[in-house]
Amino acid sequence: MKHLKLFLFLLFVQQFNAQGILDRKEPKKVVKSGPYIGIQSGRFYAGEVGIEKQWKRSDKFLESTTNALHMGVNYSYDFSNFNPILGYDLGFWHKENTVGLTYGMNFCMRTNFDQYRVGICPTIGIKILQFHIQTGYHLLAPFNRNNASFDANTIFLSARLLIVNERERK
């Protein structure tokens, strides 16, 4: 009888453990925010500054999900036409695992102080600690390049460093 009770108890505990009821933990949530600085390289080099807010949720050591919103300003100079180019970006990115790629989308506006171009920019990158390298393609309207429009980076590679000012654990 003693062995039967022990067997039933172990079977009961094993069922709860298999369903994850006994070892269920709340995922760790961290919210980080702060300014970033960076450089963008394409047809032109551009300096970047902005702010970013990241939401990270981790269930286990190598299983985490990170989402981020950012907005920034970049400035480049077209030396061939002696033309400054100012840009504004507003976007987000998503990272599914601790070691993995980031996928994002930016809404952007570029101006040479006479005209402006607006568009979207899909990005893909890699983030290690607070250093984020990404590449993307600016789809700016008007799409045709002519003498009435100005050039801006289309395909680019950017490197950003986030300086965390606030960190909140939930």
PDB file of all heavy atoms in Angstrom, residues 14-15 21-22 25-26 30-32 42 54 59 66 78-79 92 114-115 123 125-128 146 155-156 160-161 166:
ATOM      1  N   GLN A  14       4.742  14.009 -11.678  1.00  0.00           N
ATOM      2  CA  GLN A  14       5.289  13.953 -13.033  1.00  0.00           C
ATOM      3  C   GLN A  14       4.322  14.582 -14.033  1.00  0.00           C
ATOM      4  O   GLN A  14       4.740  15.267 -14.945  1.00  0.00           O
ATOM      5  CB  GLN A  14       5.589  12.494 -13.402  1.00  0.00           C
ATOM      6  CG  GLN A  14       6.391  12.311 -14.670  1.00  0.00           C
ATOM      7  CD  GLN A  14       5.535  12.232 -15.910  1.00  0.00           C
ATOM      8  OE1 GLN A  14       4.343  11.924 -15.851  1.00  0.00           O
ATOM      9  NE2 GLN A  14       6.126  12.542 -17.035  1.00  0.00           N
ATOM     10  N   GLN A  15       3.023  14.387 -13.871  1.00  0.00           N
ATOM     11  CA  GLN A  15       2.038  14.980 -14.764  1.00  0.00           C
ATOM     12  C   GLN A  15       2.064  16.505 -14.682  1.00  0.00           C
ATOM     13  O   GLN A  15       2.021  17.191 -15.689  1.00  0.00           O
ATOM     14  CB  GLN A  15       0.633  14.470 -14.441  1.00  0.00           C
ATOM     15  CG  GLN A  15       0.337  13.099 -14.969  1.00  0.00           C
ATOM     16  CD  GLN A  15       0.412  13.088 -16.477  1.00  0.00           C
ATOM     17  OE1 GLN A  15       1.422  12.699 -17.041  1.00  0.00           O
ATOM     18  NE2 GLN A  15      -0.636  13.521 -17.137  1.00  0.00           N
ATOM     19  N   ILE A  21       3.520  23.063 -14.875  1.00  0.00           N
ATOM     20  CA  ILE A  21       2.829  23.796 -13.818  1.00  0.00           C
ATOM     21  C   ILE A  21       3.746  24.041 -12.625  1.00  0.00           C
ATOM     22  O   ILE A  21       3.735  25.118 -12.039  1.00  0.00           O
ATOM     23  CB  ILE A  21       1.548  23.041 -13.395  1.00  0.00           C
ATOM     24  CG1 ILE A  21       0.569  23.043 -14.568  1.00  0.00           C
ATOM     25  CG2 ILE A  21       0.924  23.655 -12.155  1.00  0.00           C
ATOM     26  CD1 ILE A  21      -0.653  22.210 -14.355  1.00  0.00           C
ATOM     27  N   LEU A  22       4.573  23.059 -12.283  1.00  0.00           N
ATOM     28  CA  LEU A  22       5.410  23.208 -11.091  1.00  0.00           C
ATOM     29  C   LEU A  22       6.579  24.160 -11.294  1.00  0.00           C
ATOM     30  O   LEU A  22       6.948  24.886 -10.385  1.00  0.00           O
ATOM     31  CB  LEU A  22       5.929  21.839 -10.629  1.00  0.00           C
ATOM     32  CG  LEU A  22       4.882  20.879 -10.101  1.00  0.00           C
ATOM     33  CD1 LEU A  22       5.535  19.583  -9.677  1.00  0.00           C
ATOM     34  CD2 LEU A  22       4.139  21.488  -8.932  1.00  0.00           C
ATOM     35  N   LYS A  25       7.782  29.861 -14.387  1.00  0.00           N
ATOM     36  CA  LYS A  25       8.340  31.109 -13.880  1.00  0.00           C
ATOM     37  C   LYS A  25       7.841  32.246 -14.757  1.00  0.00           C
ATOM     38  O   LYS A  25       7.591  32.066 -15.947  1.00  0.00           O
ATOM     39  CB  LYS A  25       9.866  31.081 -13.919  1.00  0.00           C
ATOM     40  CG  LYS A  25      10.489  30.062 -13.005  1.00  0.00           C
ATOM     41  CD  LYS A  25      11.992  30.130 -13.124  1.00  0.00           C
ATOM     42  CE  LYS A  25      12.643  29.078 -12.249  1.00  0.00           C
ATOM     43  NZ  LYS A  25      14.094  29.073 -12.416  1.00  0.00           N
ATOM     44  N   GLU A  26       7.741  33.386 -14.170  1.00  0.00           N
ATOM     45  CA  GLU A  26       7.388  34.568 -14.942  1.00  0.00           C
ATOM     46  C   GLU A  26       8.575  34.958 -15.806  1.00  0.00           C
ATOM     47  O   GLU A  26       9.708  34.951 -15.346  1.00  0.00           O
ATOM     48  CB  GLU A  26       7.040  35.732 -14.007  1.00  0.00           C
ATOM     49  CG  GLU A  26       5.656  35.661 -13.441  1.00  0.00           C
ATOM     50  CD  GLU A  26       4.587  35.832 -14.505  1.00  0.00           C
ATOM     51  OE1 GLU A  26       4.688  36.756 -15.322  1.00  0.00           O
ATOM     52  OE2 GLU A  26       3.662  35.008 -14.508  1.00  0.00           O
ATOM     53  N   VAL A  30      12.609  43.496 -19.386  1.00  0.00           N
ATOM     54  CA  VAL A  30      13.510  44.632 -19.203  1.00  0.00           C
ATOM     55  C   VAL A  30      13.155  45.681 -20.247  1.00  0.00           C
ATOM     56  O   VAL A  30      12.977  45.368 -21.420  1.00  0.00           O
ATOM     57  CB  VAL A  30      14.991  44.210 -19.357  1.00  0.00           C
ATOM     58  CG1 VAL A  30      15.917  45.398 -19.197  1.00  0.00           C
ATOM     59  CG2 VAL A  30      15.355  43.125 -18.367  1.00  0.00           C
ATOM     60  N   VAL A  31      13.047  46.919 -19.802  1.00  0.00           N
ATOM     61  CA  VAL A  31      12.813  48.047 -20.699  1.00  0.00           C
ATOM     62  C   VAL A  31      14.026  48.960 -20.607  1.00  0.00           C
ATOM     63  O   VAL A  31      14.390  49.399 -19.522  1.00  0.00           O
ATOM     64  CB  VAL A  31      11.525  48.815 -20.321  1.00  0.00           C
ATOM     65  CG1 VAL A  31      11.323  49.998 -21.245  1.00  0.00           C
ATOM     66  CG2 VAL A  31      10.329  47.898 -20.338  1.00  0.00           C
ATOM     67  N   LYS A  32      14.676  49.205 -21.757  1.00  0.00           N
ATOM     68  CA  LYS A  32      15.858  50.078 -21.808  1.00  0.00           C
ATOM     69  C   LYS A  32      15.584  51.219 -22.773  1.00  0.00           C
ATOM     70  O   LYS A  32      14.927  51.027 -23.793  1.00  0.00           O
ATOM     71  CB  LYS A  32      17.079  49.311 -22.301  1.00  0.00           C
ATOM     72  CG  LYS A  32      17.519  48.184 -21.412  1.00  0.00           C
ATOM     73  CD  LYS A  32      18.800  47.583 -21.904  1.00  0.00           C
ATOM     74  CE  LYS A  32      18.510  46.383 -22.745  1.00  0.00           C
ATOM     75  NZ  LYS A  32      19.704  45.611 -23.091  1.00  0.00           N
ATOM     76  N   GLY A  42      26.841  54.474 -47.408  1.00  0.00           N
ATOM     77  CA  GLY A  42      26.190  54.074 -48.649  1.00  0.00           C
ATOM     78  C   GLY A  42      26.896  54.831 -49.754  1.00  0.00           C
ATOM     79  O   GLY A  42      28.126  54.858 -49.813  1.00  0.00           O
ATOM     80  N   GLN A  54      13.797  49.981 -25.988  1.00  0.00           N
ATOM     81  CA  GLN A  54      13.774  48.545 -26.231  1.00  0.00           C
ATOM     82  C   GLN A  54      12.957  47.841 -25.153  1.00  0.00           C
ATOM     83  O   GLN A  54      13.085  48.166 -23.976  1.00  0.00           O
ATOM     84  CB  GLN A  54      15.176  47.954 -26.211  1.00  0.00           C
ATOM     85  CG  GLN A  54      16.103  48.495 -27.246  1.00  0.00           C
ATOM     86  CD  GLN A  54      17.504  47.921 -27.104  1.00  0.00           C
ATOM     87  OE1 GLN A  54      17.770  47.062 -26.276  1.00  0.00           O
ATOM     88  NE2 GLN A  54      18.400  48.422 -27.924  1.00  0.00           N
ATOM     89  N   ASP A  59      12.478  34.260 -21.523  1.00  0.00           N
ATOM     90  CA  ASP A  59      11.932  33.119 -20.796  1.00  0.00           C
ATOM     91  C   ASP A  59      13.046  32.253 -20.230  1.00  0.00           C
ATOM     92  O   ASP A  59      13.000  31.826 -19.099  1.00  0.00           O
ATOM     93  CB  ASP A  59      11.042  32.280 -21.705  1.00  0.00           C
ATOM     94  CG  ASP A  59       9.822  33.051 -22.161  1.00  0.00           C
ATOM     95  OD1 ASP A  59       9.298  33.846 -21.364  1.00  0.00           O
ATOM     96  OD2 ASP A  59       9.400  32.875 -23.311  1.00  0.00           O
ATOM     97  N   THR A  66      13.060  40.701 -28.382  1.00  0.00           N
ATOM     98  CA  THR A  66      13.315  42.122 -28.191  1.00  0.00           C
ATOM     99  C   THR A  66      12.588  42.904 -29.274  1.00  0.00           C
ATOM    100  O   THR A  66      12.674  42.555 -30.451  1.00  0.00           O
ATOM    101  CB  THR A  66      14.819  42.432 -28.257  1.00  0.00           C
ATOM    102  OG1 THR A  66      15.503  41.608 -27.323  1.00  0.00           O
ATOM    103  CG2 THR A  66      15.090  43.886 -27.921  1.00  0.00           C
ATOM    104  N   ASP A  78      26.589  65.718 -50.044  1.00  0.00           N
ATOM    105  CA  ASP A  78      26.897  65.274 -51.403  1.00  0.00           C
ATOM    106  C   ASP A  78      27.971  66.211 -51.952  1.00  0.00           C
ATOM    107  O   ASP A  78      27.677  67.317 -52.392  1.00  0.00           O
ATOM    108  CB  ASP A  78      25.627  65.313 -52.244  1.00  0.00           C
ATOM    109  CG  ASP A  78      25.851  64.890 -53.678  1.00  0.00           C
ATOM    110  OD1 ASP A  78      26.995  64.517 -54.024  1.00  0.00           O
ATOM    111  OD2 ASP A  78      24.880  64.919 -54.457  1.00  0.00           O
ATOM    112  N   PHE A  79      29.232  65.764 -51.898  1.00  0.00           N
ATOM    113  CA  PHE A  79      30.334  66.623 -52.312  1.00  0.00           C
ATOM    114  C   PHE A  79      30.374  66.848 -53.822  1.00  0.00           C
ATOM    115  O   PHE A  79      30.896  67.857 -54.284  1.00  0.00           O
ATOM    116  CB  PHE A  79      31.674  66.045 -51.837  1.00  0.00           C
ATOM    117  CG  PHE A  79      31.893  66.191 -50.371  1.00  0.00           C
ATOM    118  CD1 PHE A  79      31.653  65.139 -49.510  1.00  0.00           C
ATOM    119  CD2 PHE A  79      32.311  67.398 -49.832  1.00  0.00           C
ATOM    120  CE1 PHE A  79      31.835  65.277 -48.145  1.00  0.00           C
ATOM    121  CE2 PHE A  79      32.505  67.552 -48.475  1.00  0.00           C
ATOM    122  CZ  PHE A  79      32.270  66.492 -47.634  1.00  0.00           C
ATOM    123  N   PHE A  92      10.984  50.769 -36.263  1.00  0.00           N
ATOM    124  CA  PHE A  92      10.997  49.730 -35.246  1.00  0.00           C
ATOM    125  C   PHE A  92      11.845  48.577 -35.758  1.00  0.00           C
ATOM    126  O   PHE A  92      12.110  48.460 -36.957  1.00  0.00           O
ATOM    127  CB  PHE A  92       9.578  49.238 -34.931  1.00  0.00           C
ATOM    128  CG  PHE A  92       8.943  48.457 -36.050  1.00  0.00           C
ATOM    129  CD1 PHE A  92       9.048  47.076 -36.099  1.00  0.00           C
ATOM    130  CD2 PHE A  92       8.257  49.107 -37.055  1.00  0.00           C
ATOM    131  CE1 PHE A  92       8.475  46.362 -37.134  1.00  0.00           C
ATOM    132  CE2 PHE A  92       7.679  48.402 -38.089  1.00  0.00           C
ATOM    133  CZ  PHE A  92       7.788  47.029 -38.130  1.00  0.00           C
ATOM    134  N   ASP A 114      15.649  72.212 -50.337  1.00  0.00           N
ATOM    135  CA  ASP A 114      14.829  72.758 -51.412  1.00  0.00           C
ATOM    136  C   ASP A 114      13.669  71.822 -51.723  1.00  0.00           C
ATOM    137  O   ASP A 114      12.573  72.260 -52.025  1.00  0.00           O
ATOM    138  CB  ASP A 114      15.652  72.958 -52.689  1.00  0.00           C
ATOM    139  CG  ASP A 114      16.646  74.092 -52.571  1.00  0.00           C
ATOM    140  OD1 ASP A 114      16.353  75.069 -51.847  1.00  0.00           O
ATOM    141  OD2 ASP A 114      17.724  73.997 -53.188  1.00  0.00           O
ATOM    142  N   GLN A 115      13.940  70.526 -51.688  1.00  0.00           N
ATOM    143  CA  GLN A 115      12.950  69.505 -51.980  1.00  0.00           C
ATOM    144  C   GLN A 115      13.004  68.458 -50.884  1.00  0.00           C
ATOM    145  O   GLN A 115      13.940  68.434 -50.094  1.00  0.00           O
ATOM    146  CB  GLN A 115      13.271  68.817 -53.306  1.00  0.00           C
ATOM    147  CG  GLN A 115      13.468  69.728 -54.469  1.00  0.00           C
ATOM    148  CD  GLN A 115      14.104  68.962 -55.626  1.00  0.00           C
ATOM    149  OE1 GLN A 115      13.929  67.758 -55.739  1.00  0.00           O
ATOM    150  NE2 GLN A 115      14.826  69.657 -56.467  1.00  0.00           N
ATOM    151  N   THR A 123      14.823  46.857 -43.136  1.00  0.00           N
ATOM    152  CA  THR A 123      16.191  46.634 -42.666  1.00  0.00           C
ATOM    153  C   THR A 123      16.340  45.227 -42.116  1.00  0.00           C
ATOM    154  O   THR A 123      15.373  44.608 -41.680  1.00  0.00           O
ATOM    155  CB  THR A 123      16.587  47.632 -41.561  1.00  0.00           C
ATOM    156  OG1 THR A 123      15.715  47.463 -40.450  1.00  0.00           O
ATOM    157  CG2 THR A 123      16.543  49.060 -42.051  1.00  0.00           C
ATOM    158  N   GLY A 125      19.527  43.203 -39.651  1.00  0.00           N
ATOM    159  CA  GLY A 125      20.783  43.476 -38.970  1.00  0.00           C
ATOM    160  C   GLY A 125      21.101  42.468 -37.895  1.00  0.00           C
ATOM    161  O   GLY A 125      20.436  41.443 -37.753  1.00  0.00           O
ATOM    162  N   ILE A 126      22.122  42.797 -37.136  1.00  0.00           N
ATOM    163  CA  ILE A 126      22.536  41.984 -36.000  1.00  0.00           C
ATOM    164  C   ILE A 126      22.857  42.925 -34.851  1.00  0.00           C
ATOM    165  O   ILE A 126      23.413  44.001 -35.066  1.00  0.00           O
ATOM    166  CB  ILE A 126      23.729  41.074 -36.360  1.00  0.00           C
ATOM    167  CG1 ILE A 126      24.005  40.097 -35.232  1.00  0.00           C
ATOM    168  CG2 ILE A 126      24.953  41.871 -36.727  1.00  0.00           C
ATOM    169  CD1 ILE A 126      24.889  38.944 -35.626  1.00  0.00           C
ATOM    170  N   LYS A 127      22.461  42.527 -33.664  1.00  0.00           N
ATOM    171  CA  LYS A 127      22.665  43.353 -32.482  1.00  0.00           C
ATOM    172  C   LYS A 127      23.443  42.538 -31.454  1.00  0.00           C
ATOM    173  O   LYS A 127      23.040  41.434 -31.104  1.00  0.00           O
ATOM    174  CB  LYS A 127      21.324  43.789 -31.896  1.00  0.00           C
ATOM    175  CG  LYS A 127      21.460  44.684 -30.700  1.00  0.00           C
ATOM    176  CD  LYS A 127      20.090  45.103 -30.237  1.00  0.00           C
ATOM    177  CE  LYS A 127      20.163  45.870 -28.955  1.00  0.00           C
ATOM    178  NZ  LYS A 127      20.753  45.165 -27.859  1.00  0.00           N
ATOM    179  N   ILE A 128      24.555  43.085 -30.999  1.00  0.00           N
ATOM    180  CA  ILE A 128      25.372  42.459 -29.969  1.00  0.00           C
ATOM    181  C   ILE A 128      25.534  43.482 -28.856  1.00  0.00           C
ATOM    182  O   ILE A 128      26.099  44.558 -29.086  1.00  0.00           O
ATOM    183  CB  ILE A 128      26.740  42.028 -30.527  1.00  0.00           C
ATOM    184  CG1 ILE A 128      26.542  41.042 -31.663  1.00  0.00           C
ATOM    185  CG2 ILE A 128      27.610  41.444 -29.429  1.00  0.00           C
ATOM    186  CD1 ILE A 128      27.780  40.733 -32.442  1.00  0.00           C
ATOM    187  N   ASN A 146      16.236  62.259 -61.556  1.00  0.00           N
ATOM    188  CA  ASN A 146      16.415  63.187 -62.665  1.00  0.00           C
ATOM    189  C   ASN A 146      17.062  64.455 -62.114  1.00  0.00           C
ATOM    190  O   ASN A 146      17.426  64.524 -60.950  1.00  0.00           O
ATOM    191  CB  ASN A 146      15.075  63.488 -63.351  1.00  0.00           C
ATOM    192  CG  ASN A 146      14.033  63.983 -62.361  1.00  0.00           C
ATOM    193  OD1 ASN A 146      14.380  64.492 -61.292  1.00  0.00           O
ATOM    194  ND2 ASN A 146      12.771  63.841 -62.714  1.00  0.00           N
ATOM    195  N   ILE A 155      20.949  51.892 -50.884  1.00  0.00           N
ATOM    196  CA  ILE A 155      21.448  50.742 -50.125  1.00  0.00           C
ATOM    197  C   ILE A 155      22.465  51.266 -49.127  1.00  0.00           C
ATOM    198  O   ILE A 155      23.349  52.041 -49.487  1.00  0.00           O
ATOM    199  CB  ILE A 155      22.089  49.711 -51.065  1.00  0.00           C
ATOM    200  CG1 ILE A 155      21.030  49.155 -52.018  1.00  0.00           C
ATOM    201  CG2 ILE A 155      22.721  48.584 -50.261  1.00  0.00           C
ATOM    202  CD1 ILE A 155      21.589  48.223 -53.058  1.00  0.00           C
ATOM    203  N   PHE A 156      22.350  50.859 -47.880  1.00  0.00           N
ATOM    204  CA  PHE A 156      23.237  51.403 -46.861  1.00  0.00           C
ATOM    205  C   PHE A 156      23.609  50.340 -45.838  1.00  0.00           C
ATOM    206  O   PHE A 156      22.963  49.311 -45.723  1.00  0.00           O
ATOM    207  CB  PHE A 156      22.594  52.602 -46.154  1.00  0.00           C
ATOM    208  CG  PHE A 156      21.427  52.224 -45.290  1.00  0.00           C
ATOM    209  CD1 PHE A 156      21.608  51.915 -43.954  1.00  0.00           C
ATOM    210  CD2 PHE A 156      20.156  52.171 -45.809  1.00  0.00           C
ATOM    211  CE1 PHE A 156      20.544  51.553 -43.155  1.00  0.00           C
ATOM    212  CE2 PHE A 156      19.078  51.821 -45.026  1.00  0.00           C
ATOM    213  CZ  PHE A 156      19.280  51.500 -43.695  1.00  0.00           C
ATOM    214  N   ARG A 160      25.296  51.486 -35.073  1.00  0.00           N
ATOM    215  CA  ARG A 160      24.788  52.350 -34.002  1.00  0.00           C
ATOM    216  C   ARG A 160      25.211  51.815 -32.645  1.00  0.00           C
ATOM    217  O   ARG A 160      25.301  50.611 -32.452  1.00  0.00           O
ATOM    218  CB  ARG A 160      23.259  52.394 -34.012  1.00  0.00           C
ATOM    219  CG  ARG A 160      22.652  53.024 -35.209  1.00  0.00           C
ATOM    220  CD  ARG A 160      21.152  52.975 -35.100  1.00  0.00           C
ATOM    221  NE  ARG A 160      20.535  53.597 -36.248  1.00  0.00           N
ATOM    222  CZ  ARG A 160      19.271  53.469 -36.551  1.00  0.00           C
ATOM    223  NH1 ARG A 160      18.478  52.743 -35.793  1.00  0.00           N
ATOM    224  NH2 ARG A 160      18.782  54.065 -37.609  1.00  0.00           N
ATOM    225  N   LEU A 161      25.415  52.733 -31.732  1.00  0.00           N
ATOM    226  CA  LEU A 161      25.726  52.381 -30.352  1.00  0.00           C
ATOM    227  C   LEU A 161      24.684  53.050 -29.462  1.00  0.00           C
ATOM    228  O   LEU A 161      24.556  54.276 -29.466  1.00  0.00           O
ATOM    229  CB  LEU A 161      27.122  52.843 -29.961  1.00  0.00           C
ATOM    230  CG  LEU A 161      27.517  52.601 -28.508  1.00  0.00           C
ATOM    231  CD1 LEU A 161      27.635  51.105 -28.239  1.00  0.00           C
ATOM    232  CD2 LEU A 161      28.810  53.297 -28.180  1.00  0.00           C
ATOM    233  N   GLU A 166      18.187  54.679 -19.068  1.00  0.00           N
ATOM    234  CA  GLU A 166      17.197  54.123 -18.160  1.00  0.00           C
ATOM    235  C   GLU A 166      17.073  52.626 -18.388  1.00  0.00           C
ATOM    236  O   GLU A 166      17.018  52.178 -19.529  1.00  0.00           O
ATOM    237  CB  GLU A 166      15.832  54.780 -18.373  1.00  0.00           C
ATOM    238  CG  GLU A 166      15.777  56.230 -17.988  1.00  0.00           C
ATOM    239  CD  GLU A 166      14.382  56.785 -18.149  1.00  0.00           C
ATOM    240  OE1 GLU A 166      13.416  56.025 -17.997  1.00  0.00           O
ATOM    241  OE2 GLU A 166      14.267  57.979 -18.420  1.00  0.00           O
TER     242      GLU A 166
END
